[in-house]
Amino acid sequence: MRTFLGFLVLLAGCAPTEQFTLPKGDFEVTTHSRLFGLEATKAQNEQAASRTCPEGYIVLNEKIGQDADGNYRRWEFGCLSR
């Protein structure tokens, strides 16, 4: 039970994750930082990119900024193909 509660706190600390498919076929993911800072947003973005691109991905552009929802990390990424 404690593990589950810890997981919920972790999710609240990094409010994920908006993900979009861009017109050129790449993807964008944005994670806002709440409690755990911008390093945690990197982990959230890595998880989203790994789910979208199970064979690997490349970050094409990274932006760290601030908006009405707080601090965020935004990645534009593309999937690797074999």
Side-chain angles (χ1 to χ4, degrees):
M1 181 69 165
R2 286 184 181 178
T3 303
F4 180 71
L5 291 175
F7 181 70
L8 290 178
V9 169
L10 180 63
L11 286 178
C14 261
T17 325
E18 301 168 5
Q19 188 166 342
F20 302 99
T21 302
L22 301 173
K24 59 186 175 186
D26 293 325
F27 302 91
E28 180 179 281
V29 61
T30 301
T31 302
H32 284 84
S33 173
R34 298 287 187 257
L35 300 175
F36 298 109
L38 286 171
E39 282 305 308
T41 62
K42 182 178 179 181
Q44 292 287 322
N45 286 359
E46 287 174 342
Q47 289 176 359
S50 293
R51 281 191 307 272
T52 303
C53 305
E55 294 190 19
Y57 63 89
I58 183 169
V59 177
L60 304 169
N61 189 16
E62 179 179 49
K63 180 177 181 184
I64 296 173
Q66 190 172 39
D67 61 15
D69 293 324
N71 297 327
Y72 67 85
R73 181 183 306 260
R74 178 175 297 138
W75 282 2
E76 288 182 28
F77 65 94
C79 295
L80 300 176
S81 60
R82 292 182 183 204

